[in-house]
Amino acid sequence: MIKLTIDDREVEVEPGTTILEAAASVGIEIPHYCYHPDIGSDGNCRMCLTEVNGNTRKLGISCMLPCGDGMDVKTTSPAVKKAQKGVLEFLLINHPLDCTICDQAGECPLQDYTYRFGPGDSRFDEDKAKKPKKVAFSDNVMYDGERCILCTRCTRFFEEVRDNRPIGVENMGGKSQITLGPNGPIEDPYQMNIIDICPVGALTSRDFRFKQRVWFMDFAESVCPGCSRGCNITAGAYQGELLRFVPRRNPQVNQSWMCDDGRLSYKQYNLDDRVRGARVAGEVVTPGDAADKLLELVGDGSSVAVLASTRDTCEELAAVRHFAETVGITQLWHGSRTWEGDDFLKLDDATPNTAGAVALGFSAVPDELPSLRGLIVVGEVDVPSALLAEVDFVAMQAAVAGDLGAAATVLVPGRTPVEKRGTWINHAGLRQQVRPGLDPGPDVPHDWAFWVAAAGGTLGGFPELTAQADAWSAAGAPAPVAAATDGETAS
Ligand code: SF4
Ligand code: SF4
């Protein structure tokens, strides 16, 4: 181990750790642009200069400089502060003063660092360099050359993470700019990650551009419902409308990345027409009356099966299982959805909680179906037509009724994956926190509340369950398979 001092604090790190990483490990922030934890250092932006062993004439690039035994590092000395002001003044020489109309405003490290470490004024009174603006790099990514600070995070993402080079740096000096390669628009299915890692507003999302200022939005740190990888995300919404998913760093799951399909899948959760209120044979009833009717149909539970979605949370599935055990249903099945995965993050299982369903005792629908009289469908799931041909009644809990819900004898409201609170277990057995990015309102309570109430005979309304832990214990669920993990915000 290597021992050094950073801002008078003793730090111990593995050999090879850079000064910037060592400082971050003890909560000391060194401003930086070109360094990114998942694409490494380039040493080009010079924002991370630090004073090493009292050398004020030649400051060290902390993202490239490995720690040495006995080093004395200063990150806020007068020489460092002067250098930071100089670097920011230089970066701003050609940067347009368009924060007021820039989509990055509010989450822009250039804006933030200029405010915290910058000079406050500029000595530059020549004309700013003109560069291409509003260049479509693809259907999803827009480039503004004047805002670019040439940190090369975007080009290095493709080279180092995706092993391709759809964009590169052309020209030299003040004329340098990022440009498309000879093959035309970017086609990489993970291309939108360059928008997140661009530290300024040079790369923006064509989907999100100009939709909303980020300081007006509400954010929830959750998990992508798109596949069983369970990439950590931040869901952003404005006045009840979901506007974007962006990745949240979790080195155990997705590093700082997510696929574009998962990112853009948020759109399907802005529902125009959703199930509100319980129905029996199409007539609006109270949840209690719906539960009464369901119990009457289920009887002793024989020849009735439950088919639950693997987008349901562990807590919801535990509550459904508790209900099934209470009324004597023994056939608990899960229904996944599939799509075509790839060799990076995206997996073939297009649902986030198949492992959770299996851990809670749900199995795949058997090839040879037993004779059934009733089917209870819980959540978003494709129901095999052979199953429907078998049964006398269908009960369903869903956010969107569809044809099946419209024909169901009992229909109760359900939440979409972005409205749920609970946990999912990903393909690797990691149990992760899921938090609601949208609140559908009091007439769409959490899905588990209905099943706990129906099992417990609390038929006049839903019990006052407010936390996922309540749902686990009320449903008598088994202990969590693994401690829930959570991502972090990368910069
Ligand atoms: S476009 Fe953004 S990420 Fe790419 S070099 Fe310019 S500032 Fe860096
Ligand atoms: S890889 Fe899967 S979990 Fe990750 S963003 Fe894509 S769809 Fe979502």
Side-chain angles (χ1 to χ4, degrees):
M1 294 295 277
I2 298 217
K3 287 185 183 170
L4 69 159
T5 308
I6 304 179
D7 292 345
D8 300 323
R9 285 176 65 178
E10 287 197 357
V11 186
E12 202 169 291
V13 292
E14 297 280 348
T17 307
T18 64
I19 293 175
L20 188 143
E21 290 164 342
S25 73
V26 292
I28 296 173
E29 180 196 13
I30 299 179
H32 57 273
Y33 290 118
C34 68
Y35 166 81
H36 185 281
D38 294 319
I39 47 178
S41 308
D42 198 51
N44 72 50
C45 75
R46 296 303 201 260
M47 193 64 220
C48 68
L49 290 170
T50 46
E51 184 182 313
V52 179
N53 297 337
N55 188 343
T56 54
R57 291 173 62 82
K58 192 163 186 219
L59 301 176
I61 307 165
S62 67
C63 76
M64 297 291 276
L65 203 58
C67 296
D69 231 0
M71 257 185 184
D72 178 22
V73 178
K74 296 277 189 284
T75 71
T76 57
S77 69
V80 170
K81 286 184 176 169
K82 186 175 173 213
Q84 288 169 339
K85 283 187 170 58
V87 170
L88 283 165
E89 186 181 6
F90 174 72
L91 289 175
L92 289 166
I93 277 178
N94 285 316
H95 195 84
L97 299 175
D98 63 357
C99 296
T100 47
I101 56 156
C102 177
D103 231 38
Q104 192 85 358
E107 51 186 2
C108 173
L110 184 60
Q111 212 175 46
D112 296 344
Y113 287 169
T114 300
Y115 182 69
R116 293 171 57 200
F117 308 107
D121 53 25
S122 172
R123 291 166 290 173
F124 187 75
D125 52 15
E126 284 81 20
D127 289 338
K128 287 178 184 278
K130 297 287 175 229
K131 288 188 183 174
K133 294 184 81 70
K134 207 176 161 201
V135 182
F137 274 0
S138 70
D139 289 344
N140 292 321
V141 179
M142 191 69 89
Y143 173 66
D144 181 318
E146 292 180 355
R147 293 178 187 160
C148 173
I149 60 168
L150 290 158
C151 68
T152 69
R153 278 185 177 188
C154 53
T155 58
R156 287 181 290 130
F157 168 77
F158 285 119
E159 286 165 25
E160 291 169 29
V161 180
R162 298 294 299 147
D163 197 22
N164 59 36
R165 292 184 175 210
I167 55 175
V169 184
E170 72 170 6
N171 300 331
M172 296 178 71
K175 292 195 166 47
S176 298
Q177 62 186 40
I178 304 297
T179 186
L180 279 175
N183 295 330
I186 307 171
E187 289 180 353
D188 190 292
Y190 288 81
Q191 61 180 269
M192 294 181 81
N193 289 293
I194 63 175
I195 298 162
D196 311 317
I197 60 175
C198 178
V200 293
L203 297 171
T204 48
S205 161
R206 295 184 73 181
D207 176 62
F208 178 69
R209 267 164 78 83
F210 307 130
K211 277 195 182 160
Q212 194 47 256
R213 289 309 209 174
V214 289
W215 52 86
F216 292 132
M217 291 171 63
D218 300 312
F219 296 100
E221 298 193 337
S222 193
V223 174
C224 172
C227 83
S228 55
R229 176 77 59 186
C231 294
N232 289 207
I233 60 164
T234 302
Y238 176 70
Q239 292 192 344
E241 183 187 5
L242 209 53
L243 295 182
R244 70 177 190 186
F245 286 163
V246 293
R248 218 160 29 101
R249 184 164 192 261
N250 188 332
Q252 282 182 279
V253 181
N254 55 304
Q255 294 186 301
S256 299
W257 322 122
M258 70 186 299
C259 74
D260 293 352
D261 284 342
R263 182 189 297 261
L264 296 173
S265 70
Y266 78 87
K267 297 177 188 184
Q268 66 188 282
Y269 302 117
N270 286 320
L271 304 178
D272 292 331
D273 183 22
R274 70 174 306 144
V275 179
R276 289 193 182 276
R279 286 166 193 267
V280 168
E283 298 294 321
V284 176
V285 297
T286 65
D289 287 345
D292 279 342
K293 182 64 183 177
L294 179 62
L295 291 172
E296 179 195 321
L297 291 168
V298 166
D300 65 1
S302 60
S303 303
V304 176
V306 170
L307 176 60
S309 167
T310 43
R311 286 184 173 161
D312 293 334
T313 61
C314 292
E315 292 69 24
E316 290 165 349
L317 293 169
V320 171
R321 193 184 79 171
H322 174 60
F323 168 80
E325 285 170 348
T326 305
V327 298
I329 297 172
T330 55
Q331 293 165 114
L332 294 176
W333 300 332
H334 66 72
S336 282
R337 282 182 178 168
T338 57
W339 63 2
E340 196 177 340
D342 59 30
D343 58 1
F344 186 29
L345 295 177
K346 194 174 160 189
L347 296 170
D348 288 345
D349 179 355
T351 60
N353 198 30
T354 303
V358 171
L360 285 159
F362 290 73
S363 56
V365 179
D367 293 336
E368 282 200 25
L369 293 174
S371 103
L372 288 179
R373 70 190 164 85
L375 178 68
I376 300 173
V377 178
V378 185
E380 275 182 76
V381 56
D382 295 327
V383 183
S385 50
L387 255 182
L388 294 176
E390 287 274 326
V391 295
D392 300 330
F393 76 88
V394 171
M396 188 172 180
Q397 180 177 50
V400 178
D403 292 343
L404 185 59
T409 310
V410 176
L411 175 66
V412 293
R415 291 193 166 199
T416 70
V418 297
E419 296 162 349
K420 296 177 186 293
R421 182 182 295 283
T423 55
W424 287 327
I425 300 174
N426 81 351
H427 74 110
L430 203 63
R431 184 167 161 249
Q432 304 197 90
Q433 295 285 353
V434 177
R435 301 184 180 88
L438 290 179
D439 178 1
D443 54 350
V444 187
H446 281 287
D447 293 18
W448 38 259
F450 177 80
W451 301 105
V452 173
T458 318
L459 303 183
F462 295 115
E464 292 292 318
L465 299 179
T466 53
Q468 68 196 53
D470 294 340
W472 278 93
S473 60
V481 205
T485 66
D486 222 344
E488 61 194 57
T489 302
S491 59

